[in-house]
Amino acid sequence: MSGPNQVQPKQPLVLGIESSCDETGVGIVRGTTLLTNTVSSSMDEHVRFGGVIPEIASRAHLDAFVPTLQESLHEAGVTLEDIDAIAVTSGPGLAGALMVGVCAAKALAVATGKPLYAINHLVAHVGVGLLDGRPDAVAAAGLGAGKLPENLGALLVSGGHTEILRIRSITDDVELLGSTIDDAAGEAYDKVARILGLGYPGGPAIDKLARQGNPKSIRFPRGLTQPKYMGTAEEKGPHRYDWSFSGLKTAVARCVEQFEARGEEVPVADIAAAFQEAVVDVISSKAVLACKENGITEVLLGGGVAANSRLRELTGQRCASAGIKLHVPPLDLCTDNGAMVAALGAQLIMAGISPSGIGFAPDSSMPVTTVSVPA
């Protein structure tokens, strides 16, 4: 195994494997250059259940991994022998789904003799900001190729996570400033979409319908915004930068029940618009507050909910007003993918950090402060 004092490849060719939820992702990068990003999603298999079923996701990863790997290698024009190292998401995520990717990565590492890096899924979302080789990616993210800006934060909004991070060093110094204490934003979208009869996944359906509704028609609660949770800049409350969406979901359910009890037609578009406004309002306001009070001047927006048009719009407006530069990578690099895993793996190699070996286990609740698993 390589150590921190040994010479590392200047532009390592890294294979990244992602299987934390319902996307089987394999990506290949050379240093900071994206060669290929191949993703197989099992979302269609979860539609009739209204959410991701872990067992179905795990079996889908088993079926999809080898074809996805083969396609990725073909698109990049490389072989497994050419690869310098393998990186795999070891957490956080669904335990069974993580196990499939981790076992596949270990098998490849043993078969090829390549070093293996077990990395953090959340920090990998920030790693996409380092990729070049795709003009649309660099232009959309607005980041300098191969280098993250100083005073950087990351706002990650997805079906499983809603978090604001401070990134001092992507390889060894990531701080969690705030997170959801219950439902993630994407999870709340799915649950509310089910209440409104809009199906799964809920995010795109609500985003589309909300454009036809009046977001001011109903005032839904903004969780953890009361003074006892917020405190002041001098004496911060216990949840100043945190979010809560479970109460909002319940408020939507009660609203629908009241319309039905009165025998009135449920104004689905208005409720969708008002719900979405409550979510993006509290996410963007708290994220900007965390950035202002922690000296963060640039923010990367990632995760599947980064596709939401209103979240992009309002977060962009509030960041601009606060003098904060917002970076939004292309959608296929915001959602879960293997390229982001490979990108972070390459950074670890170039920083001289030792590989993880094959003795680690998947960690479904891996803290964001653990960028990679030590040997």
Side-chain angles (χ1 to χ4, degrees):
M1 289 186 181
S2 59
N5 297 321
Q6 293 180 305
V7 176
Q8 304 296 335
K10 290 185 178 180
Q11 295 290 310
L13 185 64
V14 182
L15 174 78
I17 299 169
E18 156 62 26
S19 69
S20 64
C21 190
D22 61 343
E23 281 99 4
T24 307
V26 179
I28 301 174
V29 306
R30 189 183 300 278
T32 59
T33 301
L34 175 62
L35 300 184
T36 184
N37 181 34
T38 308
V39 178
S40 173
S41 175
S42 63
M43 181 180 293
D44 291 345
E45 299 180 42
H46 305 282
V47 168
R48 64 192 179 102
F49 301 103
V52 175
I53 304 301
E55 176 65 16
I56 292 177
S58 300
R59 291 182 179 273
H61 288 308
L62 284 170
D63 293 337
F65 179 73
V66 171
T68 305
L69 172 64
Q70 292 172 335
E71 182 181 348
S72 185
L73 291 169
H74 176 73
E75 288 182 356
V78 301
T79 66
L80 285 174
E81 289 72 23
D82 299 324
I83 298 294
D84 292 315
I86 299 167
V88 63
T89 295
S90 62
L94 300 175
L98 288 169
M99 190 173 297
V100 176
V102 166
C103 288
K106 288 182 178 182
L108 288 175
V110 170
T112 62
K114 307 297 183 180
L116 177 60
Y117 288 81
I119 68 169
N120 191 299
H121 169 88
L122 298 175
V123 183
H125 272 296
V126 185
V128 298
L130 290 158
L131 292 175
D132 58 8
R134 238 179 68 176
D136 66 322
V138 176
L143 296 171
K147 183 180 179 181
L148 291 177
E150 296 181 0
N151 302 320
L152 176 69
L155 175 59
L156 307 181
V157 190
S158 70
H161 306 280
T162 305
E163 302 182 324
I164 180 75
L165 314 175
R166 174 161 52 188
I167 315 294
R168 293 191 180 92
S169 167
I170 195 171
T171 58
D172 59 12
D173 193 351
V174 176
E175 180 184 359
L176 177 65
L177 298 178
S179 66
T180 178
I181 65 170
D182 41 56
D183 289 353
E187 186 180 6
Y189 267 89
D190 289 338
K191 291 178 178 178
V192 166
R194 191 179 308 141
I195 293 170
L196 298 179
L198 300 179
Y200 173 85
I206 289 178
D207 191 15
K208 181 179 180 180
L209 185 61
R211 296 168 194 159
Q212 305 171 25
N214 178 8
K216 297 182 179 179
S217 60
I218 304 165
R219 173 72 182 184
F220 286 125
R222 275 67 167 162
L224 301 183
T225 56
Q226 300 93 327
K228 65 179 180 179
Y229 299 122
M230 295 294 293
T232 64
E234 292 74 25
E235 295 186 17
K236 294 179 174 62
H239 295 294
R240 187 168 180 82
Y241 308 139
D242 293 332
W243 295 277
S244 171
F245 299 108
S246 63
L248 171 59
K249 171 200 64 183
T250 301
V252 172
R254 295 295 165 272
C255 178
V256 171
E257 289 172 359
Q258 288 169 6
F259 277 103
E260 292 175 340
R262 294 194 296 266
E264 299 176 8
E265 182 179 351
V266 178
V268 178
D270 285 347
I271 292 176
F275 161 77
Q276 176 162 277
E277 195 66 18
V279 172
V280 301
D281 178 24
V282 74
I283 287 178
S284 58
S285 62
K286 286 206 169 197
V288 169
L289 177 66
C291 290
K292 289 169 62 178
E293 294 185 349
N294 288 276
I296 293 170
T297 56
E298 302 194 41
V299 175
L300 180 76
L301 177 62
V305 185
N308 183 274
S309 61
R310 182 57 179 152
L311 178 62
R312 287 175 178 243
E313 178 185 30
L314 189 56
T315 303
Q317 292 172 353
R318 287 178 167 169
C319 282
S321 297
I324 298 168
K325 189 173 182 180
L326 179 66
H327 306 285
V328 186
L331 178 58
D332 64 329
L333 293 178
C334 285
T335 52
D336 295 346
N337 62 85
M340 69 184 195
V341 179
L344 180 53
Q347 290 298 311
L348 294 170
I349 294 170
M350 292 187 288
I353 293 175
S354 297
S356 306
I358 61 170
F360 68 93
D363 183 356
S364 60
S365 56
M366 178 184 284
V368 74
T369 49
T370 301
V371 178
S372 63
V373 179

